[in-house]
Amino acid sequence: MPQSPTTAAAGTPASVKQPETSKLLKILGPGLITGASDDDPSGIATYSQVGAQFGYGMGWVMLFSWPLMCAIQEISARIGRVTGQGIAGNLKKHYPASVGVSIVSLLVIANIINIGADLGAMGAALKLIVGGPALLYVALFGLVTVLLEVYSRYSRYVSVLKWMTLSLFAYVGIVFVVKVPWATVGYNLVVPHIKFDAPYITAVVAILGTTISPYLFFWQAGEEVEQVREDADKQPLKGAPDQAKPEFNRIRIDTYIGMALSNAVALFIIITTAATLNAHGVTDIQTSSQAAEALRPIAGPLAFFIFALGIIGTGLLALPVLAGSSAYALGETFGWNVGLARKPGLAKAFYGSIAVATLIGVGLNFSPIDPIKALFWSAVINGVVAVPVMGIMMLLSSKPAAMGDFQLHIGLKVVGWLATAVMGIAAIGLFATWGS
């Protein structure tokens, strides 16, 4: 029988993969890792393509999307921390089963395609650096990710993920080895030059779809639940209201810093590719590895090496988030024991779903499926799924039956609904420009 949140919160030495005395994820934890994982190789490809095609003209989208990201991710975290259940668990409890199963199914499909695309980009990047067979690297990256996620101690694994967020600074470093017209960058950040043609609208939609993705909601909520389970002093806030103020402060700081890091890195990628590729007439970039390779003759071997290495580092960070968010969603939907802190024998279905999702992602790279088209379909599904998930999250977080006395305050409610509306418009824009 699946354990209840209360039972799981207490935990036992036999049910977890770490000492009960571990103090994890003090201030920077779920929000930091979630934000950093948003800049995965697929996201790098999108930002590189935008920078190469439009120069500095899209930087404003990163500033515009930051408060929207902060709001929806804070709401995700609050749902997990208050209820002691993730997004899928709350969908199952408060909405018809068909709603939860449909959304989770689409989430898992999009995540698997994303895993495949990220693995392919990582393999291609390593091949660029050291040579050799890219497909072998794809398989090795997939295997290493699964083994770490299944068999490493949760405390140690989370520490590794935190340190891996440093890989994002590779893209900050590149800016300082290429020539950037900062006055032009600053002007375009605060004075958007919006065009209403298909390429421009599609690019804006691509950025928003890459930046605000459903797997991030499920992961951050799931990690908040994980914190409750692994710390005997914590309980879901509905049952421990005295813990609410410091926990909400922690969530807010963690989320805002994590999302700021995510969007700052994305902005630096756009600036780098605008200053190098776009400035030299290279405007057609489809993958992150293509961007790295194109940088070599323009910005030099150091910029190429840093960019390619960053693809591998961000991929190693994003893969467990993609596979893990799927496992949390499936586990809560079907009543499995879930949690990365559990020993493999006590959460076989949960860990099995992580392994299967990663294995299928590896397999996609050995198939005749076009990875660029697969990535497009992943973006389409993510864009479609994000809107109803965000809408349901907004309703759920204002529902007394779910949140008790911790329903959303007016500020979060306004920005959360604004984020939902923006994503809805983005989804409409995606279909309106489809095929243009």
Side-chain angles (χ1 to χ4, degrees):
M1 293 286 292
Q3 292 184 359
S4 68
T6 304
T7 304
T12 65
S15 66
V16 298
K17 296 187 293 184
Q18 66 194 29
E20 287 184 283
T21 56
S22 288
K23 300 297 181 181
L24 306 179
L25 309 179
K26 297 288 187 182
I27 294 294
L28 298 181
L32 175 69
I33 295 170
T34 300
S37 69
D38 195 22
D39 293 319
D40 65 331
S42 301
I44 293 168
T46 298
Y47 303 134
S48 299
Q49 186 176 22
V50 165
Q53 186 174 0
F54 296 98
Y56 307 107
M58 287 285 184
W60 67 270
V61 183
M62 305 319 304
L63 291 184
F64 172 76
S65 63
W66 180 68
L68 308 184
M69 283 181 73
C70 289
I72 203 67
Q73 291 301 143
E74 183 179 349
I75 291 165
S76 303
R78 280 173 171 253
I79 290 172
R81 190 64 185 86
V82 169
T83 67
Q85 292 181 304
I87 304 297
N90 278 287
L91 288 178
K92 181 180 180 180
K93 186 174 181 180
H94 297 285
Y95 294 94
S98 58
V99 173
V101 171
S102 299
I103 288 175
V104 169
S105 297
L106 290 172
L107 172 79
V108 171
I109 292 169
N111 283 4
I112 289 174
I113 295 171
N114 225 340
I115 289 170
D118 284 352
L119 282 167
M122 293 162 68
L126 188 56
K127 180 180 179 180
L128 288 176
I129 295 173
V130 301
L135 289 178
L136 174 61
Y137 300 147
V138 166
L140 289 176
F141 282 134
L143 178 63
V144 167
T145 300
V146 171
L147 290 177
L148 284 174
E149 210 160 355
V150 174
Y151 291 108
S152 63
R153 277 185 180 177
Y154 180 62
S155 55
R156 187 176 301 162
Y157 187 60
V158 169
S159 296
V160 169
L161 291 180
K162 281 187 180 182
W163 281 106
M164 287 184 68
T165 62
L166 294 176
S167 64
L168 294 176
F169 288 97
Y171 298 108
V172 178
I174 296 177
V175 169
F176 297 101
V177 298
V178 300
K179 187 176 180 180
V180 176
W182 289 109
T184 303
V185 172
Y187 178 77
N188 280 276
L189 282 177
V190 297
V191 184
H193 295 278
I194 300 173
K195 300 177 182 178
F196 293 97
D197 56 25
Y200 192 93
I201 293 173
T202 302
V204 173
V205 170
I207 293 176
L208 291 174
T210 300
T211 304
I212 303 175
S213 298
Y215 76 88
L216 302 174
F217 316 153
F218 284 83
W219 171 264
Q220 190 163 352
E223 287 304 284
E224 287 294 333
V225 175
E226 196 85 45
Q227 287 206 95
V228 174
R229 288 175 175 162
E230 56 106 63
D231 190 336
D233 295 329
K234 291 184 177 180
Q235 300 176 36
L237 296 181
K238 281 179 68 174
D242 56 306
Q243 298 179 8
K245 185 175 181 179
E247 285 298 290
F248 285 155
N249 287 337
R250 174 192 60 79
I251 286 170
R252 187 174 300 110
I253 294 169
D254 182 25
T255 300
Y256 287 18
I257 291 176
M259 300 310 120
L261 174 64
S262 173
N263 277 26
V265 168
L267 179 59
F268 274 111
I269 294 171
I270 292 172
I271 292 171
T272 296
T273 50
T276 53
L277 305 184
N278 179 268
H280 288 79
V282 181
T283 59
D284 186 16
I285 294 295
Q286 298 296 324
T287 67
S288 53
S289 56
Q290 282 181 11
E293 195 165 22
L295 276 174
R296 193 192 323 238
I298 296 172
L302 179 59
F304 154 76
F305 178 77
I306 295 173
F307 199 97
L309 201 61
I311 292 169
I312 297 170
T314 58
L316 288 171
L317 177 62
L319 289 177
V321 175
L322 285 160
S325 63
S326 296
Y328 280 121
L330 287 169
E332 290 187 334
T333 299
F334 296 109
W336 304 339
N337 282 336
V338 301
L340 293 170
R342 296 185 186 276
K343 288 185 175 180
L346 298 177
K348 293 178 181 178
F350 174 78
Y351 286 114
S353 65
I354 288 174
V356 170
T358 307
L359 180 63
I360 296 174
V362 170
L364 289 176
N365 287 275
F366 289 83
S367 75
I369 296 174
D370 184 338
I372 296 172
K373 289 183 178 179
L375 193 57
F376 171 78
W377 280 107
S378 173
V380 170
I381 295 172
N382 271 324
V384 171
V385 175
V387 181
V389 172
M390 291 168 72
I392 289 174
M393 283 170 51
M394 293 306 301
L395 295 173
L396 183 69
S397 54
S398 300
K399 200 180 186 73
M403 301 292 284
D405 295 330
F406 298 109
Q407 302 162 58
L408 292 186
H409 58 74
I410 187 65
L412 262 184
K413 191 176 291 188
V414 169
V415 182
W417 278 115
L418 176 61
T420 306
V422 167
M423 290 304 294
I425 294 169
I428 294 170
L430 180 65
F431 288 108
T433 58
W434 198 5
S436 299

